[in-house]
Amino acid sequence: MSAIDLTVELIISFLEYLEKDRHNTPRTRNSRLATFKSFGKMIRLLYPEHREIADKLLHLPLKRTQKPLIGFLTHEEINEVFNKVNLKEKEGFRDYTLLHILYDSGARASEIATLKIDDFDPHRKTLALLGKGNRYRLLELWSRTVELVNLYLTKYRSTPKPLFRYQLFINQRGTAFTRHGIYGLCKKYLSLALSPKRIKELNPAHSFRHTCAVHMLLNGSPITDIKNRLGHAQIQSTMTYLNLSLSRKKEIQKRFIEYTQSTLETDAKITEFLDWENKEETLAWLDNL
């Protein structure tokens, strides 16, 4: 195909085919059009004699798309999700820790999946995340999250296969968690805690990211702090949260502060788990006498 064969009518016909025959969404249509626009820029640069065709390509408008609602969890809902984790199961403590890190850091599932043990600094209470654009960001964690990660690493982390010995979170196969694995884990506990109707409004892993941002906003954090914590490249992405109409702000803010400042010693669920575990160890010791 030569540049002469490439016409605006042909491109529009292809885009309409995607929507009508292939049943692609407007968002997918716009993605394909963006590829043609990039091609148009190359034509204009390398083949100036076909500049007219390139300009027509670049002026094709994107189709308006409906932006999804920001699905975040209330303070009651996030606590209910945590309470659904059975700490007495083999992988329960790992799941409990992973969900807390998602909520605390506002990280993407892919960022949590690539975490190494050395990315966590218990003394400085920080976590280094490798985000989009191969950019690192350093986050300060809550005290309770630091305690959970410490306890997980020293006592409950599964033995990994040699190739994955430096990964922070290890799955039941002894390998590193994947983005899809974290998605499935979040969906599991959200399904246990929330109604099916509520689940439809949420992206399982991303809902923790939105919840972190919204609770920071309610706590009065500057929009730039939220941007840096989430790892947004542009402030416009973070400004979306300012469009939310948030009721019961003072009540949620108070509970959020209480939660972030609490420690494992005041966590009834952890206390019950440790008491049960100590009891099991004591009984095992008595059986061996």
Side-chain angles (χ1 to χ4, degrees):
M1 177 184 287
S2 66
I4 299 175
D5 297 322
L6 187 64
T7 64
V8 172
E9 291 75 17
L10 180 63
I11 300 299
I12 293 175
S13 177
F14 172 71
L15 295 175
E16 289 178 351
Y17 158 75
L18 289 178
E19 284 195 273
K20 294 178 180 178
D21 295 356
R22 297 288 298 274
H23 306 293
N24 287 171
T25 63
R27 190 180 297 274
T28 303
R29 180 188 190 275
N30 287 342
S31 177
R32 302 296 181 267
L33 178 55
T35 303
F36 283 115
K37 286 178 178 286
S38 296
F39 183 57
K41 290 178 182 179
M42 188 196 73
I43 292 176
R44 191 166 58 176
L45 179 65
L46 300 179
Y47 305 99
E49 66 273 18
H50 298 299
R51 185 184 182 91
E52 183 179 352
I53 297 174
D55 287 341
K56 288 180 179 180
L57 274 177
L58 294 173
H59 284 91
L60 283 174
L62 296 173
K63 196 162 189 178
R64 288 183 177 273
T65 59
Q66 187 178 36
K67 291 186 177 180
L69 293 173
I70 295 177
F72 67 95
L73 301 165
T74 65
H75 184 84
E76 293 84 359
E77 287 175 334
I78 197 74
N79 274 331
E80 187 62 27
V81 172
F82 291 153
N83 287 333
K84 289 299 180 183
V85 181
N86 185 356
L87 294 177
K88 296 177 183 179
E89 289 182 353
K90 182 180 178 181
E91 309 294 347
F93 202 91
R94 178 205 62 195
D95 297 350
Y96 194 70
T97 305
L98 196 153
L99 292 175
H100 272 77
I101 280 194
L102 281 171
Y103 174 42
D104 184 351
S105 66
R108 302 174 180 91
S110 56
E111 294 170 344
I112 297 298
T114 57
L115 275 177
K116 304 289 191 299
I117 294 177
D118 288 344
D119 292 331
F120 171 64
D121 187 338
H123 304 293
R124 296 171 60 193
K125 298 183 179 181
T126 58
L127 188 70
L129 289 173
L130 180 60
K132 289 184 177 180
N134 209 31
R135 297 188 299 269
Y136 270 103
R137 63 185 188 277
L138 193 66
L139 307 180
E140 185 176 353
L141 299 175
W142 304 328
S143 295
R144 66 178 293 110
T145 308
V146 174
E147 291 181 63
L148 281 171
V149 178
N150 268 329
L151 200 54
Y152 162 72
L153 286 175
T154 57
K155 203 168 183 181
Y156 301 104
R157 181 171 175 265
S158 300
T159 303
K161 293 181 179 178
L163 189 62
F164 304 96
R165 62 185 181 276
Y166 299 119
Q167 295 294 138
L168 181 59
F169 289 108
I170 302 298
N171 61 26
Q172 63 271 23
R173 296 182 298 277
T175 62
F177 256 96
T178 64
R179 175 170 58 89
H180 297 293
I182 293 174
Y183 179 96
L185 184 146
C186 294
K187 187 176 181 180
K188 169 187 173 181
Y189 290 111
L190 286 172
S191 299
L192 291 173
L194 306 175
S195 67
K197 181 180 179 182
R198 183 75 174 100
I199 293 294
K200 290 181 180 180
E201 301 171 356
L202 302 170
N203 178 307
H206 230 59
S207 61
F208 289 86
R209 179 173 169 83
H210 291 321
T211 302
C212 171
V214 170
H215 287 183
M216 285 183 70
L217 183 64
L218 290 171
N219 195 34
S221 299
I223 196 70
T224 51
D225 286 359
I226 301 175
K227 170 186 175 294
N228 293 335
R229 194 163 192 86
L230 299 187
H232 284 155
Q234 302 295 332
I235 193 70
Q236 287 81 1
S237 301
T238 319
M239 296 292 283
T240 307
Y241 296 103
L242 297 179
N243 297 325
L244 295 173
S245 177
L246 302 170
S247 60
R248 300 187 301 137
K249 180 174 180 178
K250 289 185 178 179
E251 179 186 348
I252 298 175
Q253 180 181 355
K254 180 182 177 182
R255 294 187 182 187
F256 177 66
I257 293 174
E258 289 175 352
Y259 190 85
T260 58
Q261 293 179 347
S262 64
T263 62
L264 295 190
E265 293 178 356
T266 59
D267 190 329
K269 186 176 180 66
I270 292 293
T271 302
E272 179 187 355
F273 167 63
L274 293 177
D275 288 345
W276 168 83
E277 189 180 56
N278 291 335
K279 179 182 177 181
E280 289 292 304
E281 290 177 354
T282 302
L283 290 174
W285 176 75
L286 289 172
D287 287 339
N288 290 327
L289 291 178

